[in-house]
Amino acid sequence: QQQVKQSPQSLIVQKGGIPIINCAYENTAFDYFPWYQQFPGKGPALLIAIRPDVSEKKEGRFTISFNKSAKQFSLHIMDSQPGDSATYFCAASKGDSNYQLIWGAGTKLIIKP
Amino acid sequence: ETGVTQSPTHLIKTRGQQVTLRCSSQSGHNTVSWYQQALGQGPQFIFQYYREEENGRGNFPPRFSGLQFPNYSSELNVNALELDDSALYLCASSFFPSGSYNEQFFGPGTRLTVL
């Protein structure tokens, strides 16, 4: 019940395309859902986050869609660029704690020029 | 604003040895979390420190221990190293309580190799 399942494991998209990465969770107590971007040799960097009281959030070219009833959320990258090539992680945590982000397994995204 | 820093960058140890990893939290943050990231996997929560005390722990054995200092920096200690301890160890800092709920900012990590 603590798991966050992420798909696909890897994704190759042409420049300008819209990669979509999906995550699903079981624990209905989760109420914070961030996405992190990680480049090789670097720590994860917070990209965008959402809470269950909204169904969509946009920040620049990045959009999170959230479906509370299906317990799923996804990341869309508009007008993707080669510089977006990285590993993306979804995560989740519960409202009664300030810790223990539960992470998906990651998606390695390659944007072809 | 200074970001999260970690030292050393890389470390090679042998089985059975002990290791200490260090983390300086981002300016203004009072909470430090440690994660282990095996190659090709998502980070796994080890523990968190708040007000110099352990404030939550993941599924890691007691040979993983930590400290937080009055300046909010932190150490991760691992005793009796095993081959499976080889991983990237990430430190994340945050401010609690916060209106920006649970935003954790990560350092670049320490790559530990156990031979």
Side-chain angles (χ1 to χ4, degrees):
Chain A
Q1 209 185 22
Q2 283 285 82
Q3 281 186 319
V4 176
K5 294 182 180 179
Q6 184 173 346
S7 63
Q9 190 174 7
S10 62
L11 187 57
I12 300 174
V13 173
Q14 210 67 31
K15 176 184 172 183
I18 305 176
I20 300 172
I21 304 170
N22 300 297
C23 285
Y25 64 97
E26 293 290 327
N27 191 341
T28 55
F30 287 151
D31 69 346
Y32 174 73
F33 303 90
W35 284 90
Y36 282 83
Q37 178 190 57
Q38 186 175 30
F39 293 104
K42 304 289 186 182
L46 180 65
L47 203 55
I48 185 173
I50 198 168
R51 299 190 194 180
D53 51 347
V54 296
S55 60
E56 187 177 275
K57 183 174 180 180
K58 291 183 181 180
E59 284 187 7
R61 296 183 295 108
F62 301 94
T63 299
I64 298 179
S65 297
F66 187 85
N67 186 329
K68 188 174 181 179
S69 61
K71 292 185 284 187
Q72 295 175 349
F73 58 110
S74 59
L75 176 70
H76 301 229
I77 305 175
M78 306 302 175
D79 187 28
S80 58
Q81 301 296 315
D84 296 330
S85 298
T87 299
Y88 292 80
F89 292 94
C90 61
S93 67
K94 293 190 289 184
D96 62 349
S97 70
N98 181 39
Y99 60 88
Q100 198 159 357
L101 284 172
I102 308 299
W103 296 70
T107 296
K108 185 172 183 179
L109 173 65
I110 296 173
I111 307 297
K112 285 193 166 183
Chain B
E1 188 176 86
T2 308
V4 179
T5 61
Q6 292 186 245
S7 63
T9 306
H10 295 90
L11 203 52
I12 299 175
K13 292 284 188 179
T14 56
R15 270 190 308 174
Q17 284 189 311
Q18 178 266 342
V19 68
T20 297
L21 311 181
R22 295 178 175 82
C23 171
S24 291
S25 59
Q26 184 169 309
S27 176
H29 287 178
N30 58 8
T31 302
V32 174
S33 302
W34 285 93
Y35 292 82
Q36 180 195 66
Q37 186 178 22
L39 203 59
Q41 297 182 24
Q44 298 290 317
F45 175 76
I46 303 174
F47 44 54
Q48 183 189 73
Y49 277 82
Y50 171 63
R51 291 184 174 177
E52 300 178 47
E53 293 193 358
E54 189 178 289
N55 187 41
R57 189 179 185 94
N59 190 26
F60 280 81
R63 58 188 185 85
F64 286 78
S65 63
L67 286 173
Q68 186 182 32
F69 301 99
N71 67 354
Y72 306 120
S73 65
S74 177
E75 284 183 357
L76 164 66
N77 298 290
V78 187
N79 294 322
L81 283 167
E82 300 176 0
L83 296 179
D84 283 349
D85 295 334
S86 295
L88 181 68
Y89 287 85
L90 295 163
C91 167
S93 75
S94 55
F95 180 76
F96 181 77
S98 170
S100 298
Y101 178 71
N102 208 16
E103 285 190 25
Q104 299 188 13
F105 296 86
F106 284 79
T110 293
R111 172 70 64 188
L112 173 65
T113 302
V114 182
L115 302 177

